[in-house]
Amino acid sequence: GNSVTQMEGPVTLSEEAFLTINCTYTATGYPSLFWYVQYPGEGLQLLLKATKADDKGSNKGFEATYRKETTSFHLEKGSVQVSDSAVYFCARDDRGSTLGRLYFGRGTQLTVWP
Amino acid sequence: DVKVTQSSRYLVKRTGEKVFLECVQDMDHENMFWYRQDPGLGLRLIYFSYDVKMKEKGDIPEGYSVSREKKERFSLILESASTNQTSMYLCASSLDSTYEQYFGPGTRLTVT
């Protein structure tokens, strides 16, 4: 089964609104956690990551904190822009294996209106 | 910068055809992956490879095969395309020592 669960979209916001996209995971041990973003017509690109508990990943005004107590890695941004419209994917790695695969959530479509 | 390229952005094939999707990365990455992306289902892993000539099944390998003859190239093969294989196909690669994956732009395959 899917071991990464993120909030279903679509999410529609006005410009400068606050964004939260929830993500929780199940795993043995403490995996590294990632947020990827997919802009229209493109492949996924890494947005931010955290490799251990209490780490905060940040990039382009987005932040996410690794919370082992709640097994969560929620994505936040204080003031979204139209250019943030994209699909956001939460992911965790597979520390029980050396094969390098990631487990992705189903993605959350974000649309920001001017 | 890491670059992952895919042979086609758009492809239209007929049912029953044999289809090859090619992926090339230029950063000497050990690991390469093929996903399909469908609305409401997110990314699903088809196959991955951790070395030349080595492959592992992902979550949905049925109807697909792969080939990795050279480290930089990972091919996805649809032996006999079917309409339910109409999808966006994404290739990715990563270094052995990290789990960060770098993605290509995707190939949108339509099977009619």
Side-chain angles (χ1 to χ4, degrees):
Chain A
N2 196 336
S3 56
V4 177
T5 303
Q6 59 183 105
M7 64 185 282
E8 290 188 18
V11 174
T12 304
L13 294 173
S14 297
E15 209 166 23
E16 298 184 5
F18 184 85
L19 169 71
T20 300
I21 301 177
N22 291 338
C23 172
T24 58
Y25 67 91
T26 57
T28 303
Y30 302 107
S32 293
L33 302 173
F34 306 82
W35 277 101
Y36 279 80
V37 59
Q38 184 181 32
Y39 298 105
E42 298 182 13
L44 279 69
Q45 56 185 273
L46 181 67
L47 180 60
L48 53 85
K49 67 180 180 182
T51 57
K52 60 183 188 294
D54 300 324
D55 266 3
K56 179 185 284 189
S58 62
N59 186 23
K60 298 181 180 180
F62 291 89
E63 292 183 340
T65 301
Y66 190 141
R67 304 283 188 200
K68 69 176 181 178
E69 302 84 3
T70 54
T71 63
S72 65
F73 193 53
H74 304 323
L75 183 68
E76 297 182 335
K77 186 174 185 182
S79 177
V80 293
Q81 306 300 311
V82 172
S83 57
D84 294 326
S85 298
V87 183
Y88 293 82
F89 293 90
C90 184
R92 71 156 179 88
D93 66 18
D94 185 11
R95 288 286 157 172
S97 163
T98 57
L99 297 180
R101 69 168 292 177
L102 293 177
Y103 291 91
F104 286 88
R106 293 192 173 189
T108 303
Q109 171 78 55
L110 169 67
T111 302
V112 181
W113 296 100
Chain B
D1 282 349
V2 175
K3 193 166 185 182
V4 179
T5 57
Q6 296 184 228
S7 50
S8 306
R9 291 302 301 270
Y10 300 94
L11 209 53
V12 179
K13 295 292 182 181
R14 294 194 179 274
T15 303
E17 279 192 80
K18 189 169 186 176
V19 181
F20 292 87
L21 302 182
E22 305 286 340
C23 175
V24 177
Q25 50 94 4
D26 65 358
M27 285 300 291
D28 204 34
H29 284 177
E30 292 87 356
N31 304 320
M32 297 188 75
F33 307 83
W34 274 107
Y35 298 89
R36 63 177 283 176
Q37 182 179 12
D38 300 287
L41 298 177
L43 269 69
R44 293 182 290 168
L45 182 63
I46 304 171
Y47 267 98
F48 60 111
S49 168
Y50 53 94
D51 202 350
V52 174
K53 297 189 186 295
M54 307 303 290
K55 61 185 180 185
E56 287 282 335
K57 292 181 179 179
D59 301 321
I60 52 164
E62 298 79 16
Y64 304 93
S65 62
V66 290
S67 172
R68 194 163 179 204
E69 297 295 321
K70 293 184 178 182
K71 191 174 185 180
E72 67 271 18
R73 188 180 296 270
F74 191 37
S75 303
L76 180 69
I77 303 155
L78 288 65
E79 294 289 343
S80 178
S82 63
T83 54
N84 63 12
Q85 292 178 310
T86 291
S87 187
M88 171 70 84
Y89 289 87
L90 292 168
C91 176
S93 70
S94 69
L95 265 176
D96 216 17
S97 57
T98 73
Y99 287 79
E100 179 180 339
Q101 292 185 12
Y102 295 83
F103 283 80
T107 296
R108 185 166 292 282
L109 173 67
T110 302
V111 182
T112 62

